[in-house]
Amino acid sequence: MITSILKTTAALLAVVISVAVTADRQPLLDSNTRFHPVISQKGMVVSQEMIASQVGADILAKGGNAVDAAVATGFALAVTLPRAGNIGGGGFMMVHLAEENKTIAIDYREMAPAEAFKGMFLNSEGDVDNRKARFSIQSSGVPGTVAGLVHAQENYGKLSLKQVLKPAINLARNGITVTLTLAESLAARSERLQSDAGTKKYFFKKDGADYQPGELIRQRDLAATLSRIAAKGAAGFYQGKTAALIVEQMERSGGLITRADLNNYVALERTPICGDYREHKVCAMPPPSSGGIHMVQMLNILEGWDLKALGHNSADYIHRLVESMRRAYADRSLYLGDADFFPVPIAQLTDKNYAATLRQQIDLDHASRSEDIRPGLVDNAESTETTHFSVWDQWGNVVSNTYTLNFSYGSGIAVEGAGFLLNNEMDDFSAKPGSPNGYGLVGGIANSIQPGKRPLSSMTPTIVFDASGAPILATGSPGGSTIITVVMQMVLNVLEFEMGIAEATAASRVHHQWLPDNVFYESGISADTLRLLHEMGHVVSDQPRRLGASESIESSADGVLFGAADLRRHGSGAVAQP
Ligand code: DON
């Protein structure tokens, strides 16, 4: 009797379920996740600052392509996110052009001035003077952002440079409303920033008081500088009035950048580093970024294990991540630098057989010690800021861009009269073999200071392709030395663990960089997992910290875009093309 009731109920249920299955399709947004992305069937911009994302989305709506929108967003961030958005810094842009089916890597990293030299940051004892390397006028490399953005726009955009610069010029001229985030970020660094006359003038009130949330900051000198770029292209920055203002600033305070340095600066197109991860292709920046090489190297090592079966963020999974990271960052310290100056062994580092050798060295039950791989001990304490944005248009063109002043507000020195902050990217060189930079990264001859050389970077703007060659993911992150491992975990979360983009972004991250021999982790990694890692012999840091801030777009096979701004940073935003 009971059996027959159960059978009847089961049959009825089967009918109900099958009716539901046949009558309704799964609604697009109704997936089984706690985290929802922004969705679009046209284009999308995801950046660390909502107004700049909106600027980009509006450019898409005006018929601009992904490059137009990216350039507009990049210039807008220079106004709305002064701690990282910039025209006084540099970065990297990956562009995928749908029609040509071509992927381009634009290098607009800063360059050491002609008068720079190897020991320029050493004091009389031969030790690195960190203040000079990070906060002096000499800490600035020749800025590359304007050359990079203009190069991208002139070669691959559809609109005019004037059109894409207009929103940034208006924001600078008419003012932006100070958010709590901006007010706090400036106030926290008030003493350092106010020690420079230009920075004080541009980012604090006349009497030196902090701006309060809700007040307006107008950046008129910046608006004029941006207008000169709109009128004359890159020459409006590297020549003429802006160049004169930069050189005057250098001459007043002992900086090294000359007119010739500015004149000689060029953005370069380089061959992206692409690696296969199972059936996907992952493409990112080549040197002077270390990002592409080491992400591919780590993915090559990790590909040899069934990561999914281990479970996301299980101790066994994190152990494999950490051991791969440790080995990649050890190689980084020795082999990586600007490949125009040092023979970086790109093919060997990204070779699957080399990865297999490294994989075999990894004990699956016990942590190795970084000092057994390469000796040294460093600390890692500076506050930092870089910013990433991703753009996708209705035609399938994709931009993945990371740029930076290096630290928050760069050197803290603004070009007086021109309204923008200068980077402190010279600290990304290895000022002395074995001495850590602001991210605890060590290096040697490969990344030593030389005139015209570009400092080694970790920035990893990335585009991932499916087996058919179609782009499916654009991602990237700030975070100094942690960028490469953060971006790699984004890629693994999407490809290996099949997370939606918002969940992949929210998932807790870990980081290891060989030296210091420390597993850094975010809140959300369970105490049990940390205990297991400790029992394996890992040195787990005593507190969680925040790792990166990815701004990503994923495309489904039918072309629907899913965007996720990283909630680790206030004010970030994914904006769909209206
Ligand atoms: O190029 C690099 O690797 C560093 N200058 C990036 C700095 C950075 O990511 C700061 N952000 N949080």
Side-chain angles (χ1 to χ4, degrees):
M1 169 76 177
I2 289 177
T3 325
S4 91
I5 291 175
L6 279 177
K7 272 191 183 154
T8 317
T9 317
L12 275 173
L13 266 175
V15 170
V16 169
I17 289 166
S18 79
V19 165
V21 168
T22 48
D24 293 338
R25 77 171 169 78
Q26 175 82 0
L28 212 47
L29 281 175
D30 195 10
S31 57
N32 178 24
T33 174
R34 292 176 293 134
F35 305 96
H36 282 292
V38 169
I39 190 163
S40 170
Q41 290 182 300
K42 293 190 208 155
M44 191 184 292
V45 181
V46 187
S47 87
Q48 203 183 313
E49 201 284 319
M50 189 57 109
I51 296 171
S53 297
Q54 187 67 55
V55 162
D58 291 345
I59 289 286
L60 290 176
K62 287 195 174 112
N65 66 12
V67 173
D68 293 309
V71 173
T73 302
F75 280 120
L77 284 167
V79 182
T80 61
L81 189 75
R83 65 181 188 263
N86 68 82
I87 54 172
F92 302 112
M93 181 184 283
M94 298 282 301
V95 183
H96 177 72
L97 301 168
E99 216 174 293
E100 294 88 329
N101 190 22
K102 193 174 157 194
T103 306
I104 297 157
I106 303 173
D107 163 9
Y108 59 95
R109 180 72 162 165
E110 298 89 332
M111 198 175 80
E115 284 174 34
F117 59 96
K118 197 166 148 207
M120 64 185 276
F121 295 126
L122 301 184
N123 62 21
S124 52
E125 272 86 57
D127 297 326
V128 179
D129 178 345
N130 282 331
R131 198 208 59 81
K132 191 172 180 191
R134 296 172 194 176
F135 300 115
S136 78
I137 188 83
Q138 295 196 2
S139 68
S140 303
V142 182
T145 296
V146 174
L149 296 184
V150 171
H151 174 92
Q153 213 282 322
E154 286 178 346
N155 288 282
Y156 306 110
K158 282 175 70 188
L159 305 181
S160 70
L161 188 60
K162 277 196 180 65
Q163 280 172 295
V164 299
L165 263 155
K166 197 170 165 209
I169 295 170
N170 286 340
L171 285 164
R173 189 178 288 142
N174 303 334
I176 52 165
T177 305
V178 176
T179 58
L180 181 59
T181 316
L182 177 56
E184 294 222 308
S185 151
L186 285 167
R189 299 168 180 88
S190 166
E191 198 182 319
R192 171 165 76 87
L193 297 179
Q194 293 213 34
S195 67
D196 176 71
T199 308
K200 181 174 179 185
K201 180 167 117 192
Y202 295 131
F203 297 107
F204 296 87
K205 293 184 188 172
K206 277 208 175 73
D207 60 357
D210 296 328
Y211 278 103
Q212 299 302 315
E215 293 178 341
L216 208 64
I217 290 195
R218 286 205 166 88
Q219 301 179 71
R220 293 190 184 88
D221 285 350
L222 178 59
T225 299
L226 293 170
S227 301
R228 288 191 287 277
I229 301 168
K232 299 208 169 98
F237 182 87
Y238 294 96
Q239 296 166 23
K241 181 165 179 185
T242 307
L245 289 167
I246 296 173
V247 172
E248 276 166 32
Q249 178 86 25
M250 294 290 146
E251 286 171 352
R252 262 199 310 274
S253 42
L256 301 185
I257 299 173
T258 62
R259 269 211 178 252
D261 287 322
L262 293 167
N263 237 327
N264 292 339
Y265 187 86
V266 277
L268 298 164
E269 287 199 10
R270 302 197 182 267
T271 311
I273 300 282
C274 294
D276 294 328
Y277 182 78
R278 308 201 198 283
E279 69 274 21
H280 290 91
K281 189 165 82 160
V282 179
C283 293
M285 279 307 299
S289 173
S290 55
I293 290 179
H294 293 305
M295 181 165 58
V296 168
Q297 180 186 7
M298 290 186 283
L299 288 172
N300 283 344
I301 301 174
L302 291 162
E303 195 182 34
W305 292 301
D306 184 354
L307 302 177
K308 200 167 178 193
L310 297 173
H312 185 256
N313 281 352
S314 64
D316 282 336
Y317 172 61
I318 294 175
H319 173 67
R320 284 160 178 77
L321 285 185
V322 164
E323 293 302 328
S324 308
M325 293 170 182
R326 191 194 309 276
R327 283 158 180 81
Y329 277 73
D331 283 347
R332 185 189 190 277
S333 73
L334 194 63
Y335 298 120
L336 261 286
D338 182 345
D340 292 344
F341 287 74
F342 182 86
V344 179
I346 298 177
Q348 287 97 315
L349 289 169
T350 54
D351 182 65
K352 297 258 186 209
N353 292 325
Y354 176 55
T357 311
L358 294 179
R359 195 186 313 119
Q360 276 153 20
Q361 289 167 6
I362 295 172
D363 177 334
L364 295 184
D365 300 316
H366 300 100
S368 39
R369 291 149 58 104
S370 289
E371 65 187 42
D372 295 337
I373 294 175
R374 221 162 270 288
L377 261 184
V378 291
D379 50 324
N380 182 0
E382 293 293 335
S383 96
T384 54
E385 199 64 61
T386 293
T387 195
H388 180 84
F389 52 88
S390 299
V391 184
W392 212 294
D393 69 24
Q394 59 187 310
W395 303 287
N397 302 302
V398 185
V399 172
S400 181
N401 186 96
T402 316
Y403 74 159
T404 188
L405 290 167
N406 194 21
F407 287 7
S408 284
Y409 304 97
S411 64
I413 300 171
V415 178
E416 278 199 74
F420 66 89
L421 286 156
L422 286 164
N423 67 83
N424 60 342
E425 222 74 62
M426 293 292 283
D427 186 57
D428 275 352
F429 278 118
S430 172
K432 181 183 171 184
S435 276
N437 76 352
Y439 307 98
L441 291 169
V442 288
I445 188 77
N447 189 30
S448 64
I449 305 174
Q450 279 176 264
K453 191 172 174 181
R454 300 179 187 213
L456 183 60
S457 173
S458 300
M459 291 188 284
T460 314
T462 297
I463 304 178
V464 179
F465 301 84
D466 68 11
S468 76
I472 55 158
L473 173 68
T475 188
S477 176
S481 55
T482 69
I483 292 173
I484 314 171
T485 60
V486 164
V487 175
M488 181 182 72
Q489 285 167 88
M490 282 300 297
V491 170
L492 288 170
N493 289 351
V494 171
L495 299 189
E496 189 76 32
F497 295 97
E498 295 171 33
M499 293 181 191
I501 197 67
E503 186 176 8
T505 302
S508 304
R509 299 165 177 161
V510 297
H511 172 69
H512 195 288
Q513 60 180 52
W514 174 54
L515 296 175
D517 191 345
N518 235 307
V519 180
F520 298 103
Y521 68 96
E522 289 192 317
S523 57
I525 305 286
S526 79
D528 293 351
T529 306
L530 296 175
R531 182 177 45 75
L532 289 171
L533 288 168
H534 176 74
E535 283 169 13
M536 285 171 157
H538 288 285
V539 185
V540 179
S541 65
D542 46 7
Q543 284 196 38
R545 61 182 263 193
R546 186 186 64 185
L547 295 169
S550 55
E551 312 294 342
S552 318
I553 303 176
E554 189 183 4
S555 172
S556 66
D558 51 3
V560 178
L561 301 179
F562 300 87
D566 199 323
L567 299 178
R568 286 169 183 80
R569 307 233 174 170
H570 294 279
S572 60
V575 179
Q577 177 183 338

